[in-house]
Amino acid sequence: MNKIVFITGATSGIGLACAKKFAANGDKLIITGRNEQRLADIRQELTAKGTEVMTLAFDVRDRAKAEKCLNELPEEWQAIDVLVNNAGLALGLEPEYEGNFDDWDTMIDTNIKGLLTMTRLIVPGMIARNRGHIINVGSVAGDAAYAGGNVYCATKAAVKAITDGLRIDVANSAVRVTNLKPGLVETNFSNIRFHGDNDRATNVYKGIKPLTGDDIADVAVFAANAPEHVQIAEVLILATHQASGSVIVRK
């Protein structure tokens, strides 16, 4: 059965890859992001291939705007089957005692509070319909801190705890909950982390073949299409030469 899939942070990276993979699976998409023109371009690309796409331009940190957009969804788009909480970012790699307050606020408000906002707005409908799937994009960084990761690692540890807690809360229903935990994925993640320093971002992936957004999207689509009695609770996805968040063998 084709699903309605709601993806946050869908304009690039893992979110965009998820949009394309779920579209190829025949699903209908609601894609969100801050860049309205980029959303329109993606919608045009996917609709040309036969996918029904709804775009919602808002920042997940803006709870009021998120709530307004959800409340104004046309009736035929309201029964969301899959929520992919993908919107998130890392900023900076300084020691904790030299961290940037604004960077901390952005990471906490996006990675934790934004994810909670979307969960709170969408999951009640899933519970009422007794079906649905929440896929949270966490990180290997949520398993253990690495040098300079401090607050970012803490936000992804929070994603794990929030995901586990939600799974407990919905266990009496047919709603499923998955935490995807990627390692090194070559997207614009590092470029954003280093505030546009392309050379520094490129160095993150030197000497190793990293994962791609498509690799993570493949797992998301697989989890969403597992038999109804199967809940893929957590998946750690690493490049072959990455053993943990801090152990990477470069050649």
Side-chain angles (χ1 to χ4, degrees):
M1 182 182 75
N2 293 344
K3 302 178 176 71
I4 297 176
V5 182
F6 190 110
I7 304 169
T8 67
T11 56
S12 65
I14 293 171
L16 177 57
C18 283
K20 292 181 177 181
K21 291 285 184 176
F22 278 106
N25 191 58
D27 297 315
K28 296 169 60 175
L29 302 180
I30 303 172
I31 57 174
T32 83
R34 293 174 295 172
N35 188 327
E36 193 165 0
Q37 183 57 56
R38 181 71 181 127
L39 287 170
D41 291 343
I42 295 166
R43 180 180 183 277
Q44 183 176 24
E45 176 187 346
L46 294 179
T47 53
K49 298 177 181 178
T51 303
E52 292 185 64
V53 181
M54 163 80 67
T55 62
L56 300 175
F58 65 89
D59 189 324
V60 294
R61 294 177 294 172
D62 187 341
R63 185 181 301 162
K65 182 68 179 293
E67 189 168 9
K68 183 175 186 293
C69 287
L70 266 294
N71 287 339
E72 292 177 355
L73 274 178
E75 186 176 353
E76 65 270 22
W77 286 94
Q78 291 176 7
I80 296 164
D81 297 291
V82 180
L83 166 62
V84 181
N85 272 318
N86 165 74
L89 75 169
L91 291 170
L93 204 61
E94 298 85 7
E96 191 171 319
Y97 57 85
E98 294 178 352
N100 182 288
F101 288 110
D102 291 335
D103 285 353
W104 290 353
D105 284 344
T106 300
M107 287 187 283
I108 292 168
D109 289 348
T110 305
N111 300 0
I112 302 176
K113 293 168 69 177
L115 180 147
L116 285 170
T117 293
M118 301 315 303
T119 300
R120 180 63 181 85
L121 292 175
I122 292 174
V123 174
M126 294 181 175
I127 296 296
R129 294 184 295 275
N130 196 35
R131 72 173 192 273
H133 196 156
I134 303 93
I135 300 175
N136 290 335
V137 179
S139 172
V140 64
D143 289 345
Y146 54 76
N150 45 77
V151 174
Y152 173 70
C153 294
T155 66
K156 290 304 185 178
V159 170
K160 174 175 170 53
I162 290 165
T163 307
D164 290 346
L166 179 62
R167 192 180 305 110
I168 293 166
D169 291 339
V170 304
N172 64 339
S173 75
V175 175
R176 302 184 293 184
V177 185
T178 299
N179 183 17
L180 299 185
K181 304 192 300 183
L184 278 179
V185 183
E186 189 166 15
T187 61
N188 61 348
F189 175 88
S190 291
N191 184 275
I192 291 171
R193 162 168 261 172
F194 299 127
H195 298 282
D197 187 333
N198 293 323
D199 291 338
R200 194 176 179 192
T202 299
N203 284 334
V204 172
Y205 309 105
K206 279 190 175 177
I208 185 171
K209 184 173 182 179
L211 302 168
T212 67
D214 283 345
D215 296 325
I216 311 308
D218 283 337
V219 181
V221 173
F222 179 84
N225 288 279
E228 290 184 1
H229 71 288
V230 177
Q231 178 171 218
I232 298 175
E234 187 171 285
V235 185
L236 176 64
I237 311 134
L238 301 175
T240 299
H241 296 293
Q242 179 177 14
S244 69
S246 57
V247 178
I248 299 167
V249 178
R250 302 178 189 274
K251 298 184 178 182

